[in-house]
Amino acid sequence: MSPIKDIPQLGKLVAVQHGWAAAKAFKSYEMNVADREALSLCAIDLLKVFPSIPGACALMSAALAVGLERCMDAPIHVVAGTLAVDGEPVFGDRRTFDGPQLFSTSNPDWDGHVWVMIGSYIIDISIFRTAYSGLGPARLAKHIDSAFGPNKGLYVDRWRRTAQLGLSYEPQYVLSADEVTRLMGGAYHVIKQGQPA
């Protein structure tokens, strides 16, 4: 799927969960300097406290979205789907799935990918951590190493640019506010467990 063609599809997915006004705000949003700063600070704070564990994209994305909603007035949505590298899926398989059932728990067992979107901007707080961990797909680790190098923490880019970097974020489901809250509960549990006694 072409990312540019996916924007209208994602607008429809946003509308299903959050209404057409939210979809319109999503499509028209432009990130300003204050929002960039808030995003950076929120992501740094989360990366400091969230333990390095595999398979945490849903929990990390939900925690980031909740944090961002406290400090930004922007159309923030948590999106689930497939992440592909050079057209080959590394997380997810492009098959449809039952979003409400999958995200009915606070820590879903799923091989797809979850990220945050603020308007047309992809915000992926787990991709670098997964790639550098040595526990994720080798194809992803190799690609991240060659395209970005070491020691990155947060991936932020306009959706249309991701394909130029060999990444394809393919949305299949936009989470509801209740589903994000449930995942945030799971994230809080993971953070508390990771803290020294």
Side-chain angles (χ1 to χ4, degrees), residues 56-121:
C57 65
L59 302 183
M60 292 183 78
S61 294
L64 180 62
V66 168
L68 292 173
E69 285 170 355
R70 293 183 184 139
C71 59
M72 291 172 68
D73 182 21
I76 300 163
H77 299 287
V78 178
V79 181
T82 297
L83 174 62
V85 170
D86 294 328
E88 293 294 319
V90 290
F91 290 114
D93 56 14
R94 297 183 171 130
R95 284 186 244 172
T96 57
F97 58 88
D98 185 341
Q101 165 148 10
L102 180 66
F103 295 106
S104 65
T105 68
S106 65
N107 194 356
D109 181 19
W110 182 53
D111 73 343
H113 194 55
V114 178
W115 62 93
V116 174
M117 292 212 60
I118 306 176
S120 65
Y121 294 83

Side-chain angles (χ1 to χ4, degrees), residues 4 6 21 35 38 50 73 76 83 87 94 117 119 157 168 176 181:
I4 294 170
D6 285 345
D35 284 353
F50 203 97
D73 182 21
I76 300 163
L83 174 62
R94 297 183 171 130
M117 292 212 60
D157 210 343
S168 177
S176 70
T181 299

Side-chain angles (χ1 to χ4, degrees), residues 125-137:
I125 193 159
S126 68
I127 189 170
F128 293 122
R129 187 172 273 191
T130 299
Y132 299 147
S133 72
L135 302 172

Side-chain angles (χ1 to χ4, degrees), residues 108-189:
D109 181 19
W110 182 53
D111 73 343
H113 194 55
V114 178
W115 62 93
V116 174
M117 292 212 60
I118 306 176
S120 65
Y121 294 83
I122 298 272
I123 318 295
D124 193 338
I125 193 159
S126 68
I127 189 170
F128 293 122
R129 187 172 273 191
T130 299
Y132 299 147
S133 72
L135 302 172
R139 182 181 186 88
L140 176 66
K142 184 177 178 186
H143 182 79
I144 293 297
D145 183 54
S146 65
F148 298 96
N151 303 318
K152 302 293 186 281
L154 179 70
Y155 177 61
V156 180
D157 210 343
R158 284 192 178 271
W159 199 0
R160 67 175 177 260
R161 276 193 28 90
T162 60
Q164 296 169 19
L165 296 168
L167 299 172
S168 177
Y169 287 81
E170 301 169 11
Q172 292 166 277
Y173 184 71
V174 173
L175 280 69
S176 70
D178 286 347
E179 289 162 345
V180 172
T181 299
R182 212 168 7 253
L183 289 175
M184 181 61 211
Y188 178 77
H189 182 70

